Amino acid sequence: MMTDDDKRIEDFFARYQPGIPDDGFSKRVMNKLPMPIEHKNRLWVAFCWLAGVVLFLVFNGVSAVRHVLLMLGEELWLLVRSISVAPASLFFYFAAFAVLSLVTAYNVVMEERGRG
């Protein structure tokens, strides 16, 4: 909160602020300052990305990624084929899903009541 004295001091300095001609001095000073750290960080990140892409291509990363994805697909296919669902286990899966759904619904309702 501004007091009356603060307002008078602010008005005084606003009224009697000396005007100093710049003549490009500020721009010359800003050009002589060192590069901000954000620019250096961006350059470093760009260099690291470029180095990573070059190394990826030099060491044939595309075929390595393709090989890993094929192996992952084969493993997932074997996992899916190995699942056997008996009627009793199917009932327990359904019961677990129902319990989790009810708990989730209860938590959502209680959270909405707490907000209101």
Side-chain angles (χ1 to χ4, degrees), residues 40-56:
K40 291 179 183 177
N41 285 343
R42 287 186 192 131
L43 289 174
W44 179 246
V45 168
F47 172 75
C48 289
W49 269 97
L50 182 63
V53 167
V54 167
L55 290 174
F56 183 79

Side-chain angles (χ1 to χ4, degrees), residues 9-73:
I9 291 171
E10 190 175 287
D11 289 342
F12 173 80
F13 282 115
R15 193 175 323 125
Y16 296 108
Q17 184 175 8
I20 300 173
D22 191 8
D23 296 329
F25 174 76
S26 298
K27 190 171 188 170
R28 287 192 306 271
V29 169
M30 292 303 290
N31 287 336
K32 295 232 185 233
L33 291 176
M35 185 185 302
I37 193 73
E38 292 88 18
H39 293 308
K40 291 179 183 177
N41 285 343
R42 287 186 192 131
L43 289 174
W44 179 246
V45 168
F47 172 75
C48 289
W49 269 97
L50 182 63
V53 167
V54 167
L55 290 174
F56 183 79
L57 295 174
V58 166
F59 290 109
N60 203 7
V62 175
S63 68
V65 169
R66 186 170 30 98
H67 178 71
V68 167
L69 290 177
L70 286 174
M71 295 297 292
L72 180 64

Side-chain angles (χ1 to χ4, degrees), residues 95-113:
F97 178 75
V99 168
L100 289 174
S101 298
L102 289 173
V103 169
T104 301
Y106 174 79
N107 286 335
V108 168
V109 168
M110 294 309 288
E111 186 176 328
E112 289 298 321
R113 281 189 186 170

